[in-house]
Amino acid sequence: MDQKKNAVVDLKGIIKRFYVGMPNELQILNGIDITVHEGEFVAIVGESGSGKSTLMNIIGALDRPTEGTYFFNGEDISKLSDKKLSNIRNKQIGFVFQNFNLIPRTSALKNVELPMMYAGTGRKERLNRAKDLLETVGMADRYDHNPNELSGGQKQRVAIARAMANDPSLILADEPTGALDTKTGRIVMDIFHQLHQSGKTIILITHSPELAKETERIITISDGCIVSDTGGDKNAAD
């Protein structure tokens, strides 16, 4: 990895406890150190209960660490206000979830426009960009369809387009093929590879070693600790 590239994600000594000060206090993350540079495609792998979801919430600025520092694009976000964190989530991190999280009774186009609306993008600009993004993920013929009129794979492609709406620094994908069959999951992974080839930084959270092998780097987490950090098979999707 070219070390001259900027660190998008830089976690140092991240500890996360729940129920702090109570008899049932629980420590989920035990001193996590991770640096992800611009343009990397990284998988974070772990079994259920390993702490990977808690780690994803911290990387995505959805939760704060109990201890440790988190620099995102060089800014210490562990100390930012909720409003500033919300701004980072909207403009700098694109989320793709296992169950899509699309707004029901709202067209694919409007779903993709939504993050841009929150970011204050003008109507014409966001409409054009939403159309371009849906075309990029092969959904140009589904602009006006609501989520209940789409298959699982189509919903996930809309979700990926939405994640790209504000041209984020990081795409954070949590089990993005978990609700899909193998063939549809392949289509979704191919889109991530295309985005990576265009220069996007992607962190894929998965329990699947097979999916992880398609990335450049595999970070394995177990019992709240990183147990390995190795290169994947970069040719897996070729």
Side-chain angles (χ1 to χ4, degrees):
M1 185 69 207
D2 180 3
Q3 293 301 321
K4 290 179 182 175
K5 290 204 172 184
N6 294 328
V8 177
V9 168
D10 190 13
L11 302 167
K12 291 278 191 301
I14 295 295
I15 289 172
K16 181 63 183 178
R17 300 188 192 99
F18 293 95
Y19 316 115
V20 176
M22 297 170 71
N24 57 339
E25 181 171 310
L26 192 60
Q27 185 160 312
I28 302 294
L29 299 178
N30 304 305
I32 299 285
D33 296 335
I34 295 175
T35 302
V36 176
H37 290 89
E38 192 180 341
E40 275 196 278
F41 191 175
V42 178
I44 296 177
V45 190
E47 296 294 328
S48 180
S50 61
K52 69 181 189 298
S53 295
T54 302
L55 179 58
M56 186 211 76
N57 287 339
I58 288 172
I59 292 172
L62 295 163
D63 199 1
R64 298 172 186 268
T66 310
E67 293 178 30
T69 57
Y70 176 17
F71 283 82
F72 183 82
N73 284 331
E75 185 172 22
D76 184 356
I77 71 166
S78 46
K79 296 181 170 66
L80 292 185
S81 67
D82 288 345
K83 185 177 179 181
K84 287 185 176 175
L85 286 180
S86 177
N87 198 41
I88 283 172
R89 289 194 299 269
N90 175 236
K91 295 182 178 176
Q92 297 189 54
I93 303 174
F95 294 92
V96 181
F97 297 101
Q98 178 174 340
N99 32 3
F100 325 124
N101 285 18
L102 297 176
I103 308 297
R105 296 185 294 282
T106 304
S107 70
L109 198 62
K110 294 284 187 199
N111 264 284
V112 178
E113 279 188 75
L114 204 59
M116 292 182 275
M117 196 166 75
Y118 287 133
T121 307
R123 188 175 181 279
K124 187 177 180 183
E125 186 185 342
R126 70 176 186 253
L127 183 66
N128 290 338
R129 179 158 172 79
K131 285 181 176 178
D132 287 346
L133 287 167
L134 285 169
E135 194 171 332
T136 300
V137 298
M139 292 291 290
D141 57 342
R142 295 285 190 275
Y143 288 163
D144 298 324
H145 287 62
N146 288 353
N148 65 350
E149 300 171 302
L150 301 174
S151 69
Q154 289 170 336
K155 288 177 191 172
Q156 197 59 295
R157 282 190 271 165
V158 173
I160 293 169
R162 180 186 59 187
M164 291 293 296
N166 288 324
D167 194 21
S169 307
L170 173 68
I171 297 172
L172 191 55
D174 182 21
E175 302 282 8
T177 64
L180 308 176
D181 61 59
T182 305
K183 184 180 175 184
T184 311
R186 177 72 269 150
I187 293 167
V188 166
M189 281 303 291
D190 286 345
I191 292 171
F192 282 118
H193 286 294
Q194 288 161 17
L195 291 173
H196 175 235
Q197 283 160 12
S198 75
K200 279 292 166 196
T201 309
I202 304 171
I203 296 178
L204 172 74
I205 315 287
T206 183
H207 68 276
S208 165
E210 292 75 25
L211 282 187
K213 282 177 186 169
E214 295 191 24
T215 69
E216 296 179 308
R217 181 178 159 204
I218 303 169
I219 298 168
T220 306
I221 182 170
S222 179
D223 295 326
C225 299
I226 292 172
V227 292
S228 68
D229 187 343
T230 60
D233 179 359
K234 296 179 192 178
N235 301 313
D238 292 350

PDB file of all heavy atoms in Angstrom, residues 136-157:
ATOM      1  N   THR A 136     -25.455   4.087 -13.271  1.00  0.00           N
ATOM      2  CA  THR A 136     -24.177   3.433 -12.974  1.00  0.00           C
ATOM      3  C   THR A 136     -24.383   2.038 -12.390  1.00  0.00           C
ATOM      4  O   THR A 136     -23.617   1.119 -12.675  1.00  0.00           O
ATOM      5  CB  THR A 136     -23.359   4.288 -11.980  1.00  0.00           C
ATOM      6  OG1 THR A 136     -23.125   5.559 -12.574  1.00  0.00           O
ATOM      7  CG2 THR A 136     -22.026   3.651 -11.639  1.00  0.00           C
ATOM      8  N   VAL A 137     -25.409   1.876 -11.555  1.00  0.00           N
ATOM      9  CA  VAL A 137     -25.645   0.571 -10.917  1.00  0.00           C
ATOM     10  C   VAL A 137     -26.682  -0.272 -11.684  1.00  0.00           C
ATOM     11  O   VAL A 137     -27.190  -1.267 -11.169  1.00  0.00           O
ATOM     12  CB  VAL A 137     -26.080   0.728  -9.434  1.00  0.00           C
ATOM     13  CG1 VAL A 137     -24.993   1.395  -8.618  1.00  0.00           C
ATOM     14  CG2 VAL A 137     -27.401   1.502  -9.303  1.00  0.00           C
ATOM     15  N   GLY A 138     -26.979   0.137 -12.923  1.00  0.00           N
ATOM     16  CA  GLY A 138     -27.868  -0.655 -13.771  1.00  0.00           C
ATOM     17  C   GLY A 138     -29.337  -0.556 -13.414  1.00  0.00           C
ATOM     18  O   GLY A 138     -30.106  -1.493 -13.661  1.00  0.00           O
ATOM     19  N   MET A 139     -29.749   0.585 -12.867  1.00  0.00           N
ATOM     20  CA  MET A 139     -31.144   0.748 -12.439  1.00  0.00           C
ATOM     21  C   MET A 139     -31.848   1.910 -13.149  1.00  0.00           C
ATOM     22  O   MET A 139     -32.820   2.457 -12.640  1.00  0.00           O
ATOM     23  CB  MET A 139     -31.196   0.946 -10.920  1.00  0.00           C
ATOM     24  CG  MET A 139     -30.792  -0.285 -10.119  1.00  0.00           C
ATOM     25  SD  MET A 139     -32.009  -1.609 -10.262  1.00  0.00           S
ATOM     26  CE  MET A 139     -33.358  -0.902  -9.320  1.00  0.00           C
ATOM     27  N   ALA A 140     -31.362   2.260 -14.332  1.00  0.00           N
ATOM     28  CA  ALA A 140     -31.935   3.403 -15.054  1.00  0.00           C
ATOM     29  C   ALA A 140     -33.400   3.188 -15.413  1.00  0.00           C
ATOM     30  O   ALA A 140     -34.168   4.143 -15.531  1.00  0.00           O
ATOM     31  CB  ALA A 140     -31.120   3.680 -16.316  1.00  0.00           C
ATOM     32  N   ASP A 141     -33.806   1.914 -15.565  1.00  0.00           N
ATOM     33  CA  ASP A 141     -35.202   1.639 -15.944  1.00  0.00           C
ATOM     34  C   ASP A 141     -36.113   1.484 -14.735  1.00  0.00           C
ATOM     35  O   ASP A 141     -37.269   1.069 -14.861  1.00  0.00           O
ATOM     36  CB  ASP A 141     -35.267   0.375 -16.807  1.00  0.00           C
ATOM     37  CG  ASP A 141     -34.672  -0.843 -16.111  1.00  0.00           C
ATOM     38  OD1 ASP A 141     -33.909  -0.655 -15.137  1.00  0.00           O
ATOM     39  OD2 ASP A 141     -34.974  -1.979 -16.535  1.00  0.00           O
ATOM     40  N   ARG A 142     -35.594   1.821 -13.537  1.00  0.00           N
ATOM     41  CA  ARG A 142     -36.385   1.632 -12.314  1.00  0.00           C
ATOM     42  C   ARG A 142     -36.485   2.929 -11.496  1.00  0.00           C
ATOM     43  O   ARG A 142     -36.767   2.892 -10.313  1.00  0.00           O
ATOM     44  CB  ARG A 142     -35.751   0.550 -11.424  1.00  0.00           C
ATOM     45  CG  ARG A 142     -35.751  -0.854 -12.030  1.00  0.00           C
ATOM     46  CD  ARG A 142     -37.146  -1.475 -11.990  1.00  0.00           C
ATOM     47  NE  ARG A 142     -37.133  -2.889 -12.334  1.00  0.00           N
ATOM     48  CZ  ARG A 142     -37.179  -3.376 -13.566  1.00  0.00           C
ATOM     49  NH1 ARG A 142     -37.204  -2.550 -14.603  1.00  0.00           N
ATOM     50  NH2 ARG A 142     -37.203  -4.676 -13.783  1.00  0.00           N
ATOM     51  N   TYR A 143     -36.245   4.069 -12.126  1.00  0.00           N
ATOM     52  CA  TYR A 143     -36.281   5.361 -11.426  1.00  0.00           C
ATOM     53  C   TYR A 143     -37.518   5.531 -10.553  1.00  0.00           C
ATOM     54  O   TYR A 143     -37.446   5.995  -9.428  1.00  0.00           O
ATOM     55  CB  TYR A 143     -36.300   6.523 -12.437  1.00  0.00           C
ATOM     56  CG  TYR A 143     -35.038   6.790 -13.191  1.00  0.00           C
ATOM     57  CD1 TYR A 143     -35.072   7.574 -14.349  1.00  0.00           C
ATOM     58  CD2 TYR A 143     -33.803   6.297 -12.761  1.00  0.00           C
ATOM     59  CE1 TYR A 143     -33.914   7.845 -15.071  1.00  0.00           C
ATOM     60  CE2 TYR A 143     -32.641   6.556 -13.475  1.00  0.00           C
ATOM     61  CZ  TYR A 143     -32.707   7.329 -14.636  1.00  0.00           C
ATOM     62  OH  TYR A 143     -31.562   7.590 -15.331  1.00  0.00           O
ATOM     63  N   ASP A 144     -38.686   5.193 -11.146  1.00  0.00           N
ATOM     64  CA  ASP A 144     -39.964   5.518 -10.508  1.00  0.00           C
ATOM     65  C   ASP A 144     -40.532   4.394  -9.650  1.00  0.00           C
ATOM     66  O   ASP A 144     -41.639   4.507  -9.127  1.00  0.00           O
ATOM     67  CB  ASP A 144     -40.994   5.903 -11.584  1.00  0.00           C
ATOM     68  CG  ASP A 144     -40.563   7.139 -12.359  1.00  0.00           C
ATOM     69  OD1 ASP A 144     -39.960   8.032 -11.716  1.00  0.00           O
ATOM     70  OD2 ASP A 144     -40.799   7.208 -13.571  1.00  0.00           O
ATOM     71  N   HIS A 145     -39.771   3.300  -9.512  1.00  0.00           N
ATOM     72  CA  HIS A 145     -40.267   2.163  -8.733  1.00  0.00           C
ATOM     73  C   HIS A 145     -40.015   2.364  -7.240  1.00  0.00           C
ATOM     74  O   HIS A 145     -38.935   2.797  -6.834  1.00  0.00           O
ATOM     75  CB  HIS A 145     -39.587   0.868  -9.185  1.00  0.00           C
ATOM     76  CG  HIS A 145     -40.057   0.379 -10.525  1.00  0.00           C
ATOM     77  ND1 HIS A 145     -39.899   1.113 -11.679  1.00  0.00           N
ATOM     78  CD2 HIS A 145     -40.670  -0.784 -10.893  1.00  0.00           C
ATOM     79  CE1 HIS A 145     -40.398   0.430 -12.703  1.00  0.00           C
ATOM     80  NE2 HIS A 145     -40.869  -0.725 -12.255  1.00  0.00           N
ATOM     81  N   ASN A 146     -41.021   2.030  -6.435  1.00  0.00           N
ATOM     82  CA  ASN A 146     -40.852   2.036  -4.984  1.00  0.00           C
ATOM     83  C   ASN A 146     -40.136   0.750  -4.549  1.00  0.00           C
ATOM     84  O   ASN A 146     -40.143  -0.243  -5.280  1.00  0.00           O
ATOM     85  CB  ASN A 146     -42.213   2.131  -4.293  1.00  0.00           C
ATOM     86  CG  ASN A 146     -42.841   3.507  -4.447  1.00  0.00           C
ATOM     87  OD1 ASN A 146     -42.211   4.425  -4.959  1.00  0.00           O
ATOM     88  ND2 ASN A 146     -44.076   3.641  -4.017  1.00  0.00           N
ATOM     89  N   PRO A 147     -39.527   0.745  -3.344  1.00  0.00           N
ATOM     90  CA  PRO A 147     -38.811  -0.447  -2.888  1.00  0.00           C
ATOM     91  C   PRO A 147     -39.638  -1.736  -2.950  1.00  0.00           C
ATOM     92  O   PRO A 147     -39.110  -2.799  -3.292  1.00  0.00           O
ATOM     93  CB  PRO A 147     -38.439  -0.095  -1.447  1.00  0.00           C
ATOM     94  CG  PRO A 147     -38.268   1.378  -1.470  1.00  0.00           C
ATOM     95  CD  PRO A 147     -39.324   1.878  -2.417  1.00  0.00           C
ATOM     96  N   ASN A 148     -40.961  -1.656  -2.653  1.00  0.00           N
ATOM     97  CA  ASN A 148     -41.771  -2.889  -2.666  1.00  0.00           C
ATOM     98  C   ASN A 148     -42.002  -3.433  -4.071  1.00  0.00           C
ATOM     99  O   ASN A 148     -42.532  -4.524  -4.243  1.00  0.00           O
ATOM    100  CB  ASN A 148     -43.119  -2.674  -1.938  1.00  0.00           C
ATOM    101  CG  ASN A 148     -44.006  -1.665  -2.642  1.00  0.00           C
ATOM    102  OD1 ASN A 148     -43.575  -0.979  -3.568  1.00  0.00           O
ATOM    103  ND2 ASN A 148     -45.246  -1.558  -2.202  1.00  0.00           N
ATOM    104  N   GLU A 149     -41.575  -2.664  -5.080  1.00  0.00           N
ATOM    105  CA  GLU A 149     -41.690  -3.124  -6.473  1.00  0.00           C
ATOM    106  C   GLU A 149     -40.342  -3.635  -7.004  1.00  0.00           C
ATOM    107  O   GLU A 149     -40.229  -3.946  -8.181  1.00  0.00           O
ATOM    108  CB  GLU A 149     -42.176  -1.965  -7.355  1.00  0.00           C
ATOM    109  CG  GLU A 149     -43.536  -1.422  -6.957  1.00  0.00           C
ATOM    110  CD  GLU A 149     -43.906  -0.151  -7.702  1.00  0.00           C
ATOM    111  OE1 GLU A 149     -43.145   0.839  -7.623  1.00  0.00           O
ATOM    112  OE2 GLU A 149     -44.950  -0.162  -8.369  1.00  0.00           O
ATOM    113  N   LEU A 150     -39.352  -3.712  -6.126  1.00  0.00           N
ATOM    114  CA  LEU A 150     -38.006  -4.115  -6.538  1.00  0.00           C
ATOM    115  C   LEU A 150     -37.601  -5.428  -5.873  1.00  0.00           C
ATOM    116  O   LEU A 150     -38.026  -5.729  -4.755  1.00  0.00           O
ATOM    117  CB  LEU A 150     -36.991  -3.026  -6.147  1.00  0.00           C
ATOM    118  CG  LEU A 150     -37.212  -1.625  -6.720  1.00  0.00           C
ATOM    119  CD1 LEU A 150     -36.207  -0.651  -6.117  1.00  0.00           C
ATOM    120  CD2 LEU A 150     -37.106  -1.636  -8.242  1.00  0.00           C
ATOM    121  N   SER A 151     -36.753  -6.180  -6.550  1.00  0.00           N
ATOM    122  CA  SER A 151     -36.176  -7.395  -5.957  1.00  0.00           C
ATOM    123  C   SER A 151     -35.095  -6.992  -4.949  1.00  0.00           C
ATOM    124  O   SER A 151     -34.678  -5.827  -4.892  1.00  0.00           O
ATOM    125  CB  SER A 151     -35.546  -8.254  -7.054  1.00  0.00           C
ATOM    126  OG  SER A 151     -34.382  -7.612  -7.563  1.00  0.00           O
ATOM    127  N   GLY A 152     -34.644  -7.973  -4.171  1.00  0.00           N
ATOM    128  CA  GLY A 152     -33.596  -7.692  -3.183  1.00  0.00           C
ATOM    129  C   GLY A 152     -32.340  -7.107  -3.821  1.00  0.00           C
ATOM    130  O   GLY A 152     -31.779  -6.127  -3.330  1.00  0.00           O
ATOM    131  N   GLY A 153     -31.922  -7.694  -4.932  1.00  0.00           N
ATOM    132  CA  GLY A 153     -30.717  -7.191  -5.612  1.00  0.00           C
ATOM    133  C   GLY A 153     -30.906  -5.784  -6.137  1.00  0.00           C
ATOM    134  O   GLY A 153     -29.984  -4.953  -6.083  1.00  0.00           O
ATOM    135  N   GLN A 154     -32.097  -5.498  -6.662  1.00  0.00           N
ATOM    136  CA  GLN A 154     -32.379  -4.147  -7.155  1.00  0.00           C
ATOM    137  C   GLN A 154     -32.393  -3.136  -6.010  1.00  0.00           C
ATOM    138  O   GLN A 154     -31.864  -2.028  -6.141  1.00  0.00           O
ATOM    139  CB  GLN A 154     -33.724  -4.142  -7.894  1.00  0.00           C
ATOM    140  CG  GLN A 154     -33.677  -4.879  -9.223  1.00  0.00           C
ATOM    141  CD  GLN A 154     -35.049  -5.077  -9.830  1.00  0.00           C
ATOM    142  OE1 GLN A 154     -36.074  -5.089  -9.124  1.00  0.00           O
ATOM    143  NE2 GLN A 154     -35.107  -5.244 -11.139  1.00  0.00           N
ATOM    144  N   LYS A 155     -32.971  -3.545  -4.877  1.00  0.00           N
ATOM    145  CA  LYS A 155     -32.965  -2.652  -3.708  1.00  0.00           C
ATOM    146  C   LYS A 155     -31.528  -2.331  -3.285  1.00  0.00           C
ATOM    147  O   LYS A 155     -31.209  -1.185  -2.953  1.00  0.00           O
ATOM    148  CB  LYS A 155     -33.701  -3.307  -2.527  1.00  0.00           C
ATOM    149  CG  LYS A 155     -35.201  -3.377  -2.674  1.00  0.00           C
ATOM    150  CD  LYS A 155     -35.804  -4.120  -1.482  1.00  0.00           C
ATOM    151  CE  LYS A 155     -37.262  -4.443  -1.713  1.00  0.00           C
ATOM    152  NZ  LYS A 155     -37.808  -5.308  -0.662  1.00  0.00           N
ATOM    153  N   GLN A 156     -30.676  -3.353  -3.278  1.00  0.00           N
ATOM    154  CA  GLN A 156     -29.301  -3.114  -2.844  1.00  0.00           C
ATOM    155  C   GLN A 156     -28.559  -2.220  -3.825  1.00  0.00           C
ATOM    156  O   GLN A 156     -27.733  -1.406  -3.420  1.00  0.00           O
ATOM    157  CB  GLN A 156     -28.560  -4.443  -2.633  1.00  0.00           C
ATOM    158  CG  GLN A 156     -27.287  -4.330  -1.806  1.00  0.00           C
ATOM    159  CD  GLN A 156     -27.523  -3.771  -0.407  1.00  0.00           C
ATOM    160  OE1 GLN A 156     -27.930  -2.602  -0.242  1.00  0.00           O
ATOM    161  NE2 GLN A 156     -27.282  -4.583   0.606  1.00  0.00           N
ATOM    162  N   ARG A 157     -28.867  -2.340  -5.106  1.00  0.00           N
ATOM    163  CA  ARG A 157     -28.220  -1.454  -6.086  1.00  0.00           C
ATOM    164  C   ARG A 157     -28.669  -0.007  -5.893  1.00  0.00           C
ATOM    165  O   ARG A 157     -27.863   0.919  -5.995  1.00  0.00           O
ATOM    166  CB  ARG A 157     -28.511  -1.948  -7.507  1.00  0.00           C
ATOM    167  CG  ARG A 157     -27.641  -3.142  -7.870  1.00  0.00           C
ATOM    168  CD  ARG A 157     -27.749  -3.489  -9.332  1.00  0.00           C
ATOM    169  NE  ARG A 157     -28.835  -4.429  -9.592  1.00  0.00           N
ATOM    170  CZ  ARG A 157     -29.319  -4.678 -10.808  1.00  0.00           C
ATOM    171  NH1 ARG A 157     -28.836  -4.055 -11.862  1.00  0.00           N
ATOM    172  NH2 ARG A 157     -30.291  -5.558 -10.967  1.00  0.00           N
TER     173      ARG A 157
END
